[in-house]
Amino acid sequence: MQNQDNNNLLTVKDLTKYFPVRSGVLQRVSAWVKAVDKVSFFVKKGETLGMVGESGCGKTTIGRSILRLIEPTSGEVSFNGKDVLKMNARELKSLRRDMQIIFQDPYASLNPRMPIGESVMEGLNIHSIGTPKERWEVVIDMLKKVGLEEYHARRYPHEFSGGQRQRIGIARALALQPKFIVCDEPVSALDVSIQSQVLNILKDLQGEFGLTYLFIAHNLSVVEHISDRVAVMYLGKVVELADREALYREPLHPYTKALLSAIPIPHPKIKRERTILKGDVPSPLNPPSGCRFHTRCPIAVERCSQEEPEFREARAGHWVACWLVE
């Protein structure tokens, strides 16, 4: 997909990541897990692009490939007009100030032997930003912005609840004042009451600092609350991408329709008509030919199993990969 808007902060084109499967005594490559296969999208400055899909569809792999926490197999990633995948180690270190990530597990992402103030300060130390006193002031300021206090900076991760740990992760990502943050399921491990608090913090900070988010999640209600546009993934491919209102009001892809039909309605007497998908998600080791969703699609025709549908703009700003969408 192409977009001529100069307001794009991030542009991803044909991003691909295959993981090798090794077997035998010599550990030779016997197959490839096609985690992400030629994915393209863009993210505008100051917006939140939500990314949803079932477990194992490649959402987290995309986020980490963009940041080069794992090396993509092929494709292009452009950030502020610069080619991320061609940067050397020095250029990549400089880029880290502008691109950060909030991890899904708020406990595993923190060093248990390090006070959380030092964890938040780590990026400032690596990039030699300010004096030690100025760095500590930044740490305290960031902790207060996410709802914590100065005395928390000297405590260790095990002394905090899950919601507090995730706030610490947000503070750490913000310490370098980045332009772009990958939010990798930042609320999926939290209680519902805490989820709303963390989401509101993210929205408030976005308004204050002009942040741009790639928000990865399972929960479609959460994505609807925080996103400006939404990309729907299935087995390593983006199958639909549109503005939030257009996608939730009138989804075009049958997979998106099935996902939205599973959202519960908060009223005891109103029931939504469910679309129950048959079968299991195919293995990314050997994905189906043609449209990858055709093995579970309730409206699939013969062409769907033979030809892969083009990811095209069916309506203004509404992209979809389906042969049956006019």
Side-chain angles (χ1 to χ4, degrees):
M1 63 184 298
Q2 295 181 346
N3 184 279
Q4 304 300 325
D5 192 347
N6 293 326
N7 201 35
N8 293 349
L9 182 68
L10 179 78
T11 303
V12 176
K13 184 178 180 183
D14 293 335
L15 183 67
T16 300
K17 178 59 182 177
Y18 293 173
F19 292 98
V21 177
R22 301 181 184 276
S23 59
V25 178
L26 299 177
Q27 289 293 290
R28 289 175 174 163
V29 176
S30 58
W32 294 91
V33 176
K34 298 177 180 179
V36 177
D37 199 0
K38 293 185 178 180
V39 167
S40 299
F41 60 89
F42 58 87
V43 187
K44 298 176 184 177
K45 292 177 183 176
E47 81 163 347
T48 300
L49 176 66
M51 187 167 282
V52 298
E54 292 168 294
S55 294
C57 69
K59 306 184 298 297
T60 295
T61 303
I62 286 178
R64 297 189 178 207
S65 296
I66 289 170
L67 301 177
R68 282 184 65 183
L69 296 178
I70 55 176
E71 290 294 332
T73 304
S74 63
E76 298 175 20
V77 177
S78 174
F79 180 79
N80 246 353
K82 299 176 182 177
D83 192 334
V84 175
L85 303 188
K86 292 182 180 179
M87 289 183 174
N88 57 34
R90 179 181 293 180
E91 292 171 325
L92 199 57
K93 180 182 176 181
S94 177
L95 183 73
R96 297 280 184 236
R97 291 187 61 174
D98 291 330
M99 302 175 78
Q100 288 288 307
I101 183 170
I102 301 168
F103 292 99
Q104 178 179 357
D105 187 340
Y107 188 65
S109 62
L110 295 171
N111 187 335
R113 295 181 178 86
M114 187 182 288
I116 63 107
E118 291 184 26
S119 290
V120 175
M121 195 192 297
E122 200 169 12
L124 299 170
N125 292 335
I126 289 170
H127 292 278
S128 302
I129 297 172
T131 64
K133 182 181 178 182
E134 289 171 340
R135 293 172 199 169
W136 186 252
E137 288 173 354
V138 171
V139 169
I140 302 307
D141 183 45
M142 288 300 137
L143 290 177
K144 287 183 177 179
K145 286 188 184 298
V146 298
L148 298 175
E149 298 298 332
E150 182 174 351
Y151 66 86
H152 287 132
R154 294 177 178 83
R155 293 186 176 180
Y156 289 83
H158 72 270
E159 299 179 70
F160 295 91
S161 67
Q164 287 175 319
R165 289 175 195 151
Q166 198 58 282
R167 291 167 190 249
I168 295 163
I170 294 170
R172 183 176 58 180
L174 284 171
L176 292 171
Q177 297 187 351
K179 297 175 183 174
F180 175 73
I181 299 179
V182 174
C183 304
D184 184 11
E185 302 193 35
V187 297
S188 63
L190 306 178
D191 294 338
V192 175
S193 59
I194 306 300
Q195 285 184 11
S196 59
Q197 294 176 18
V198 173
L199 288 173
N200 288 333
I201 287 172
L202 288 171
K203 292 191 77 170
D204 292 342
L205 292 171
Q206 184 176 36
E208 183 176 348
F209 293 104
L211 298 170
T212 303
Y213 293 144
L214 174 64
F215 192 91
I216 297 166
H218 285 112
N219 191 323
L220 286 152
S221 299
V222 167
V223 170
E224 184 180 17
H225 175 71
I226 198 169
S227 302
D228 298 300
R229 292 185 302 130
V230 180
V232 180
M233 285 198 68
Y234 183 80
L235 208 61
K237 295 270 191 183
V238 174
V239 296
E240 187 166 3
L241 191 156
D243 289 338
R244 174 191 59 197
E245 292 182 3
L247 187 126
Y248 280 79
R249 182 182 66 249
E250 194 174 357
L252 299 179
H253 199 280
Y255 178 62
T256 310
K257 293 177 181 178
L259 287 181
L260 293 177
S261 76
I263 300 176
I265 298 174
H267 193 286
K269 294 185 179 180
I270 300 177
K271 292 186 178 181
R272 192 191 301 272
E273 186 178 341
R274 287 290 311 274
T275 301
I276 307 297
L277 298 178
K278 58 185 180 182
D280 296 321
V281 181
S283 169
L285 269 170
N286 186 25
S289 60
C291 173
R292 295 189 175 185
F293 185 59
H294 83 264
T295 57
R296 304 173 71 199
C297 182
I299 59 171
V301 296
E302 187 177 353
R303 184 184 188 185
C304 300
S305 63
Q306 298 172 350
E307 300 177 49
E308 184 176 336
E310 178 189 0
F311 190 60
R312 58 190 177 84
E313 194 170 16
R315 298 171 187 170
H318 198 142
W319 298 74
V320 66
C322 181
W323 289 121
L324 301 179
V325 174
E326 295 295 333

